Amino acid sequence: MRFSGFLTLTAATLALAHPGEKHDPAALKRDIHARDVQAIKARQALDACSSSNEAVQLNQRNIARRAQTTRELRKNRGITANPQKWRRDLAALEEWEAIDHNKTGILNFSPNTPEEAIFGGNTSAILAPTITDGPYYVWGEITRQDVREDQYCDGVDLFLEVQYIDVNTCRPVQGAFVDIWNANATGIYSGIVATGNEAADGWDSTYLRGIQESDEDGIVTFQTIFPGHYEGRATHTHLLTHLNSSVNRNNGTLEVGTGSVAHIGQLFWNEVLRSAVEETSPYNTNTQDITTNADDMWSIEQASDEYDPFPEYVYLGQGLSDGLFAWIQIGINASADYTDNSYYSIAAYFDENGGHQNTDSSAFGGGSGGEAPSGAAPSGAIPSGEAPSGTAAPSSV
């Protein structure tokens, strides 16, 4: 049966969580200001083309697709109770997240509720602009839609739809390769062995990581779990977007060093939902300190009408045990390239020989960030979607 186990925490884990993510406070302040300026410009560009026939038709397809996805998920899971949608006022988001943390309500909707009222929200079509990929990005993850595995993936099922829109044209971005990764319910990332993050199966582990290519409507979908928290950061899901990358024909992964990094982003989750999730098992075994959205180092409480990093979502049933369906549009500048940006850092590589550390990564004291190491990732058969069993869990886990 899936979800047969999860990681436990130790004193070593709690003492120093994810030490690789360190940034100069003054530089961080400047970057946040630059992010805000970029968001305003991107929002203006989107507004200028949002009423075009193409943009209107795209929104209509979005509504129909999201409604159909929800119906299929509910049918496949045997859910008959009415679902719930979380509703919130975008204009009040800054005040809600930073101050009150309780300015939304839950709406029960019936089969007679118009689909547009439920699935028409696009949040803001702007995700919080490019920020750090964190210290634990792994190049070469498995191309797959379902990133859950048999072990270390207990938690609330999350079915996530992400749509990429070019802010300059309001057209969907087709052919983008999108990486997703997040911590499991007890705050541990796969594929990394570092102080504070000793993943079972070590560098060879792959749970809750994967990559998908966007379709003609700029859509990628993933089946994952709601992320767990870890000390020092608000609860979040990582996304990284590649454009014009070459695919290795031998193993189906992206060729190292090809294409551009068009966007680095993180999805955040509102406090009421996070609190509800963390009352469930195994989230309630996670003893690391919680960081709220308002206290997060990336200042996401500054979210506004220009950008909004919180996905819309529905409870598929009456409770979290039935899972969540969430969606968000992300506005990106398709001509941007963050490959040489200091926030782009490859911590490890995964290939047919398993996972291995990038010793050049700043996450482990190296001087470089996203550059490929001297040896390119080898070719070969694509790995299976199951977590390898060869490397034993470190004793500190």
Side-chain angles (χ1 to χ4, degrees):
M1 180 179 178
R2 205 171 44 78
F3 308 151
S4 61
F6 57 89
L7 299 183
T8 57
L9 299 174
T10 67
T13 302
L14 299 176
L16 186 59
H18 300 219
E21 192 160 10
K22 295 180 180 179
H23 302 284
D24 177 70
L28 184 62
K29 185 176 181 179
R30 291 194 299 269
D31 291 339
I32 289 174
H33 175 72
R35 179 193 70 178
D36 294 345
V37 172
Q38 292 171 359
I40 292 172
K41 292 180 178 178
R43 185 65 191 180
Q44 291 172 342
L46 279 174
D47 288 343
C49 57
S50 60
S51 60
S52 67
N53 288 335
E54 189 172 12
V56 171
Q57 291 172 5
L58 179 63
N59 187 54
Q60 291 173 345
R61 293 198 299 274
N62 289 342
I63 294 170
R65 182 188 60 256
R66 293 164 184 163
Q68 180 63 26
T69 297
T70 302
R71 286 192 291 268
E72 291 178 355
L73 288 172
R74 286 166 48 78
K75 179 181 179 181
N76 292 340
R77 298 168 75 85
I79 301 170
T80 57
N82 288 338
Q84 300 176 332
K85 181 180 183 220
W86 196 269
R87 303 196 64 183
R88 56 191 174 81
D89 181 2
L90 178 59
L93 178 62
E94 180 178 1
E95 180 182 4
W96 179 76
E97 278 295 333
I99 301 174
D100 197 335
H101 295 272
N102 191 24
K103 288 186 179 291
T104 64
I106 293 178
L107 170 71
N108 289 322
F109 59 88
S110 71
N112 297 321
T113 304
E115 291 180 346
E116 183 174 1
I118 304 166
F119 299 106
N122 289 326
T123 309
S124 70
I126 286 286
L127 181 67
T130 294
I131 55 177
T132 178
D133 62 357
Y136 297 151
Y137 171 57
V138 176
W139 182 287
E141 288 299 348
I142 302 166
T143 301
R144 56 181 177 178
Q145 189 266 344
D146 190 346
V147 301
R148 302 167 300 174
E149 296 181 358
D150 286 341
Q151 291 186 305
Y152 319 125
C153 294
D154 292 272
V156 173
D157 285 342
L158 172 64
F159 302 87
L160 178 65
E161 173 193 288
V162 184
Q163 183 175 47
Y164 288 87
I165 303 294
D166 189 332
V167 297
N168 297 308
T169 64
C170 284
R171 294 177 179 175
V173 179
Q174 184 176 4
F177 287 91
V178 181
D179 276 286
I180 188 173
W181 70 101
N182 60 257
N184 73 350
T186 53
I188 302 297
Y189 286 92
S190 68
I192 298 295
V193 179
T195 303
N197 194 93
E198 295 87 355
D201 293 327
W203 301 101
D204 289 335
S205 57
T206 59
Y207 60 83
L208 304 180
R209 292 181 183 267
I211 190 168
Q212 284 281 283
E213 182 179 6
S214 62
D215 64 16
E216 63 274 8
D217 277 341
I219 298 291
V220 291
T221 60
F222 291 99
Q223 290 180 264
T224 182
I225 66 167
F226 191 89
H229 75 270
Y230 56 89
E231 187 175 356
R233 289 300 317 280
T235 300
H236 60 280
T237 300
H238 290 274
L239 296 170
L240 192 146
T241 310
H242 311 264
L243 292 180
N244 303 311
S245 292
S246 300
V247 177
N248 189 317
R249 295 181 179 179
N250 293 317
N251 61 16
T253 61
L254 300 186
E255 292 278 9
V256 175
T258 65
S260 63
V261 177
H263 190 268
I264 307 169
Q266 297 176 17
L267 303 180
F268 294 89
W269 305 91
N270 69 58
E271 296 293 345
V272 177
L273 175 61
R274 180 193 58 74
S275 297
V277 169
E278 291 192 346
E279 291 178 357
T280 67
S281 177
Y283 298 92
N284 56 12
T285 68
N286 185 348
T287 57
Q288 297 190 66
D289 290 340
I290 294 173
T291 299
T292 66
N293 288 330
D295 292 332
D296 185 76
M297 64 183 289
W298 288 103
S299 299
I300 62 168
E301 76 275 10
Q302 297 180 34
S304 66
D305 287 333
E306 278 69 49
Y307 64 89
D308 179 1
F310 297 88
E312 298 285 348
Y313 62 91
V314 294
Y315 281 58
L316 292 173
Q318 289 293 300
L320 289 168
S321 61
D322 290 324
L324 300 165
F325 171 53
W327 65 94
I328 192 169
Q329 281 186 343
I330 299 178
I332 67 172
N333 182 350
S335 62
D337 187 358
Y338 295 92
T339 302
D340 295 327
N341 189 282
S342 62
Y343 289 133
Y344 176 53
S345 177
I346 299 174
Y349 290 82
F350 186 80
D351 52 46
E352 74 278 9
N353 296 317
H356 50 95
Q357 177 182 349
N358 176 14
T359 56
D360 293 331
S361 173
S362 58
F364 305 104
S368 68
E371 297 88 349
S374 55
S379 61
I382 188 169
S384 68
E386 297 302 319
S389 58
T391 304
S395 59
S396 58
V397 174

